[in-house]
Amino acid sequence: MAQLLFIIIIVILVADFGLERCLAYLNIKQSGKELPSVLRDIYDPEKYLRQQNYFRTNSRFGMLTSSFSFIVVLIMFAFGGFSWVDGLVQQYIQSPVWTPIIFFGVLYFANDIISIPFEWYDTFVIEQKFGFNKVTPKLFVLDKLKGYGMTLVLGGGILFVIIWIYTLTPTYFWLLAWAVITAFSLFMTMFYSQIIVPLFNKQTPLGEGELRTEIEKFAAKTGFKLDNIFVIDGSKRSTKANAYFSGLGSKKRIVLYDTLMDKMTVQEIVAVLAHEVGHYKHKHTLINFLITMPYTLLLFFAFGFILQSDAFAQALGGTVASFHLNALAFSILYSPISLVLDIAMNVLSRKFEYQADAFAARYGYAPELQSGLKKLTATSLGNLMPHPLYVFFHYSHPTLYQRITKLS
Ligand SMILES: [Zn+2]
């Protein structure tokens, strides 16, 4: 049984890497194709060359990083690396709760540290070369340290509670753990903007001026409160622009990047905001949350069942069932199912984007949204011709071409 599980794990890892490489290859081939006429005004020939160069640079870099991590993970699984780390941790700590936490902590930090050179190169070489980067080495280090602190407190805390529940009651673990995770994610959905975002960015209420006046006019028509609109200092890290909707109920907010302000006209920003209000009006955050609930229940049910099996630990070179080795084996064996669910969530998310676009169009913002989306893509040197299969697997938003066509 353990032997079979081991083989399945290796097959899944190789198949997943193969699939991702195929999709990336198709995407690169597609990017060189001739543009449809509605997209030709986005880049002038010189800028289009620059975009192609940026896209290819990123694709090559993605190939390098994913191959590197694939090899590391494969070696760890194939040569019992995880049971070796387990043995190392057990030399110092033998506790049903703390051994798994330290085990995952060691893996998290080891993984993070070996990926630092890649992140550094991406930020200070690639993004820098194409004029996007605003991160200083000091900010890079500071962000890393804050990220570690957050993982220690939040990740460590939630892991502690989950494992502790398992030691109390393996039988009802799945139900209780699910309840804890659901409550935690509800809390994070509500308070993410107030607790997490301020650690990294400054959010300020929309200031007086033409933009505020125009937004006020629009907000009055739709009943969206103006004090839920914030401007974030995205320019601290990148020149790329964005906007998003987050939160639930009274904690909802629309966040506009300050980088939008100098790239778009007032009407285009209102159009982007109208799109975000569309997400709110159609209750997309709530629907996403409600869909995730039964899915996580199923996940924990399967997980609770597998936690007691010795074979899962043995597949990674262990001897008897242990929370962390079983969890690790489970995470790989479950990944084909989560791949299918991720695709389903992306299909739904793309549907939501069309709904939000249609909402903006209903208020007469279709032309401004079209030109606004074009500018957003142009300023981030976005890829105009992704491969349909790549879109199907990975895109949470429809392509620019699809959105513009639908808005016409
Ligand atoms: Zn959207």
Side-chain angles (χ1 to χ4, degrees), residues 243-245 275-276 279 284 349 352-354 356-357 397 403:
Y244 63 86
F245 174 78
H275 167 98
E276 302 304 335
H279 281 306
H284 290 157
S349 167
F352 285 172
E353 292 306 323
Y354 281 132
D357 281 352
H397 289 55
R403 292 178 78 177

Side-chain angles (χ1 to χ4, degrees), residues 363-376:
Y363 283 89
Y365 286 105
E368 287 84 3
L369 190 56
Q370 283 176 319
S371 61
L373 289 172
K374 281 183 177 181
K375 279 189 190 169
L376 271 184

